[in-house]
Amino acid sequence: MGSTAWAKKTLQGWGRFPRVETECARPERRTELLRAFQERGAAPVLAYGLGRSYGDAPLLREGRQILTSRLNRMLAFDPETGWLRCEAGVSLVDIIDVFLPRGFFPPVVPGTQFVTVGGALCNNIHGKNHHLEGCWGDHVRRVEVLLGSGEIVFCDAQTNPELFWATTGGLGLTGIILSMEVQLYPVANASIEMETVRVNNLDEFFEVSKESADYSHTVSWIDCVQSGPTMGRGIFMRGGHARQGVDAGSSVMDELAGFAQKHVDGRLFESNLLLNKATIRAFNEAYFHKTPAGVQKVVSDYMPFFFPLDAVQNWNYAYGSRGFLQYQMVVPEREACREILEIVSKSGMASFLAIIKEFGEQTHGGLSFPEPGVTLALDFPNFGAPLLEMLDRLDEIVVDVGGRIYLGKDARLSRENFRKMYPEWEKWKAVRDEWDPEQVFQSELGRRLGLVG
Ligand SMILES: Cc1cc2nc3c(=O)[nH]c(=O)nc-3n(C[C@H](O)[C@H](O)[C@H](O)COP(=O)(O)OP(=O)(O)OC[C@H]3O[C@@H](n4cnc5c(N)ncnc54)[C@H](O)[C@@H]3O)c2cc1C
């Protein structure tokens, strides 16, 4: 058996900021992964899934990175209970491809299906059903972790619960996840029964959100260019997996999305000029008015409902070579959300994508992001210093009301504000240090926020 082929590669998260050059191994088998880990020398290590975290969570300079996406074997499935055991590099698109035709769907999905189950646990991802189903980690048991010592251990809520807690949302800093068991949920077909409700401002958003608490999935797009009485106008979407016999079939829009995914690549549109205030304003205007006022009932395919942006590969390149930053926060107070939208709208630094949702009561502690309140996700082209200054200002508002920002989307939060946002960080670090006393697992985010070392 040969030795590990390490290759220098430039890695980046989805925001393409920052980018790091690092020594990578891309094992195809578990034995190759274990060998790469042994052969890393004394270098620190970090796993890299599909790089759908936006910032520096999946990146490590001066270390070794293990790319996990080829470790994608499904190991066992129980059709009676829906429990799937799989390697950590299995992606949600793999799971959906194999199990949707058999009547099962992942329990929680983010806005893209191109994430690995390892990445899903390390960011403890949430979806449109957070208010009822919590996060990815709520549907997982028996996680197999390679520790810094080289030992392999299992953990879940009963076995090594502290390791499980610290690994869930732990940004890859407790060890390399080799496999896990996740519970898939039965669905009747590939369709979604949904309603769209046009809301004219933030107050209407909160009203519709309150009356939609029983829908399994809710999320809204808002036009964050607006200020004053129309601030927060947008499209509220609610619904869930369709009942038996209700089927969208395949529509022209689905065919077009399928075509776009095969043939349209965002890299063709790479430009620092494409997404600016004027184009974003025009898009928002058209998108808002495209949806008729009132409540519309639709049966759609699951793709445009769950993964609308996946229709164009590499759409992140359309922000240009400077990259972009996503700012996702959750605040327990609505007024703070209003204040943030006001600042963003006045700044002239428009966000192309603005998503808002109210989380449920489930919290997980540690470094997991969701907590009760309203979450807002905004994408900004990387305008440099003016943007960074505005985001620092937003952090202060978030900290003041006891909110936090999503670390899986972050590339710039200060250590000081991180500590205020995540008051359990010391407890989390104590658990991590116990399981990784040699500080083998590190990342750029971990170094910036003082989570390692
Ligand atoms: C378009 C889009 C929409 C999104 N929508 C949502 C959303 O609605 N909700 C949400 O919660 N998130 C959302 N995300 C974020 C995304 O779900 C997370 O960042 C997810 O963790 C990415 O998974 P990945 O496989 O790409 O992991 P990566 O980004 O490669 O890695 C994520 C973290 O996991 C660690 N890691 C990965 N694999 C392993 C392993 N095997 N062992 C140990 N550590 C590992 C990495 O070191 C890193 O710290 C979205 C992202 C995009 C691009």
Side-chain angles (χ1 to χ4, degrees):
M1 211 192 265
S3 57
T4 302
W6 295 99
K8 229 181 198 47
K9 276 181 186 294
T10 301
L11 291 185
Q12 58 189 14
W14 190 244
R16 305 180 65 214
F17 169 79
R19 287 170 211 162
V20 306
E21 211 181 59
T22 189
E23 294 283 342
C24 299
R26 204 165 176 219
E28 284 195 38
R29 306 206 158 263
R30 178 190 169 98
T31 45
E32 291 169 7
L33 183 154
L34 299 177
R35 192 177 63 208
F37 183 75
Q38 293 304 336
E39 290 177 359
R40 75 190 189 279
V45 186
L46 187 70
Y48 182 95
L50 283 167
R52 257 54 178 195
S53 297
Y54 281 69
D56 55 2
L59 306 179
L60 174 64
R61 278 190 185 88
E62 290 155 24
R64 301 283 171 135
Q65 291 218 234
I66 299 189
L67 315 187
T68 63
S69 61
R70 286 188 183 167
L71 297 160
N72 59 355
R73 284 166 193 77
M74 314 266 185
L75 303 170
F77 181 65
D78 179 349
E80 295 295 315
T81 60
W83 281 102
L84 167 70
R85 184 159 62 85
C86 62
E87 289 185 335
V90 163
S91 67
L92 297 192
V93 65
D94 297 332
I95 294 178
I96 294 169
D97 277 355
V98 173
F99 289 101
L100 184 54
R102 291 170 169 79
F104 288 92
F105 203 76
V108 167
V109 295
T112 174
Q113 55 185 338
F114 301 113
V115 303
T116 63
V117 298
L121 188 68
C122 289
N123 271 324
N124 202 16
I125 61 166
H126 60 271
K128 295 176 172 60
N129 55 354
H130 178 270
H131 56 291
L132 297 179
E133 298 294 343
C135 293
W136 184 262
D138 293 315
H139 307 271
V140 166
R141 66 177 189 197
R142 253 180 105 71
V143 180
E144 189 186 17
V145 186
L146 171 64
L147 300 175
S149 61
E151 191 191 343
I152 294 171
V153 294
F154 286 92
C155 64
D156 63 16
Q158 281 77 42
T159 313
N160 297 318
E162 287 207 326
L163 178 63
F164 180 67
W165 173 78
T167 301
T168 303
L171 302 158
L173 296 173
T174 54
I176 295 182
I177 299 169
L178 299 176
S179 70
M180 73 178 70
E181 289 182 32
V182 56
Q183 187 161 34
L184 309 185
Y185 279 82
V187 292
N189 54 46
S191 298
I192 300 291
E193 285 179 79
M194 67 177 277
E195 294 175 3
T196 57
V197 188
R198 208 163 88 175
V199 297
N200 293 306
N201 53 42
L202 205 55
D203 289 331
E204 277 188 32
F205 163 78
F206 285 119
E207 274 165 38
V208 177
S209 179
K210 191 170 172 204
E211 75 194 31
S212 307
D214 293 339
Y215 287 79
S216 63
H217 294 71
T218 63
V219 73
S220 300
W221 164 84
I222 57 171
D223 176 354
C224 68
V225 175
Q226 302 297 312
S227 60
T230 53
M231 192 179 73
R233 76 175 188 179
I235 315 293
F236 194 103
M237 285 156 270
R238 59 192 187 193
H241 294 281
R243 290 158 295 163
Q244 189 82 41
V246 180
D247 200 339
S250 162
S251 70
V252 177
M253 288 314 286
D254 298 336
E255 304 280 320
L256 275 176
F259 177 85
Q261 203 179 346
K262 282 199 196 88
H263 301 283
V264 184
D265 192 313
R267 283 180 290 203
L268 298 172
F269 307 104
E270 181 168 2
S271 159
N272 285 355
L273 301 173
L274 183 63
L275 295 174
N276 56 49
K277 193 173 180 190
T279 56
I280 291 171
R281 184 180 279 280
F283 170 84
N284 285 5
E285 198 64 33
Y287 191 74
F288 181 73
H289 288 290
K290 184 181 84 71
T291 307
V295 181
Q296 309 294 317
K297 288 182 192 284
V298 199
V299 181
S300 96
D301 184 65
Y302 72 95
M303 275 288 292
F305 182 72
F306 285 124
F307 314 121
L309 292 163
D310 284 352
V312 177
Q313 288 179 56
N314 298 308
W315 59 260
N316 53 335
Y317 278 71
Y319 282 92
S321 54
R322 62 193 169 181
F324 70 109
L325 288 94
Q326 181 165 113
Y327 190 82
Q328 181 166 7
M329 57 73 176
V330 54
V331 283
E333 288 178 21
R334 293 172 178 186
E335 279 316 304
C337 185
R338 207 179 295 278
E339 206 181 328
I340 285 174
L341 278 174
E342 202 71 67
I343 292 173
V344 170
S345 150
K346 286 199 179 123
S347 74
M349 288 182 276
S351 164
F352 174 60
L353 192 84
I355 300 295
I356 188 167
K357 174 178 165 66
E358 286 194 282
F359 279 145
E361 294 300 312
Q362 296 93 332
T363 52
H364 302 80
L367 303 185
S368 285
F369 166 65
E371 63 175 9
V374 51
T375 181
L376 184 63
L378 305 163
D379 277 355
F380 298 98
N382 183 3
F383 294 115
L387 176 67
L388 297 178
E389 278 161 28
M390 179 178 77
L391 299 183
D392 286 347
R393 210 175 139 205
L394 303 189
D395 286 345
E396 298 301 329
I397 297 170
V398 172
V399 162
D400 277 354
V401 294
R404 70 233 330 233
I405 71 164
Y406 189 175
L407 301 177
K409 308 246 174 121
D410 176 50
R412 32 68 48 197
L413 178 66
S414 73
R415 194 175 285 198
E416 193 192 348
N417 277 333
F418 159 70
R419 290 181 173 179
K420 291 181 193 156
M421 290 176 180
Y422 286 88
E424 286 196 53
W425 75 271
E426 272 177 301
K427 181 177 163 207
W428 177 88
K429 187 165 185 329
V431 175
R432 175 210 128 85
D433 288 351
E434 195 186 323
W435 289 90
D436 183 16
E438 305 293 327
Q439 307 288 319
V440 170
F441 298 103
Q442 303 205 12
S443 68
E444 289 308 298
L445 177 139
R447 289 168 176 169
R448 175 165 56 86
L449 299 181
L451 293 170
V452 297

